[in-house]
Amino acid sequence: AGTGHIGGRPEHLRPHPSGALALEVTVVEELGATRYVHGRCAGQALCAEWGEDTAPEPGTVVRLAPTTVHAFDAPGRSLDS
């Protein structure tokens, strides 16, 4: 068995109190009507589109639940059908 990767888009991550991903917030980016929360999750950079009324403060940890994920093999080819 080889190694692979999973990936997703920022709009496929939703705040959820028992979400599988713990994001330590580093930056909140306001882009007009869209807000992005950037941070670190398990040592990796991660960005989530934030649809909530209030944004988390940098330094806080928020829980995220993915709504869609994509699988890739070790060279980066999609394993999605």
Side-chain angles (χ1 to χ4, degrees), residues 5-78:
H5 308 280
I6 60 167
R9 299 183 58 82
E11 62 269 24
H12 296 152
L13 294 169
R14 298 284 181 252
H16 193 282
S18 60
L21 305 174
L23 177 72
E24 183 179 351
V25 178
T26 56
V27 174
V28 176
E29 182 179 23
E30 305 275 350
L31 296 173
T34 306
R35 180 183 295 143
Y36 293 97
V37 174
H38 299 265
R40 307 284 301 168
C41 177
Q44 299 294 313
L46 189 69
C47 175
E49 189 174 315
W50 199 261
E52 304 295 302
D53 289 336
T54 58
E57 293 292 322
T60 61
V61 175
V62 296
R63 304 296 302 191
L64 301 171
T67 59
T68 303
V69 293
H70 302 282
F72 303 90
D73 64 11
R77 292 181 299 253
S78 176

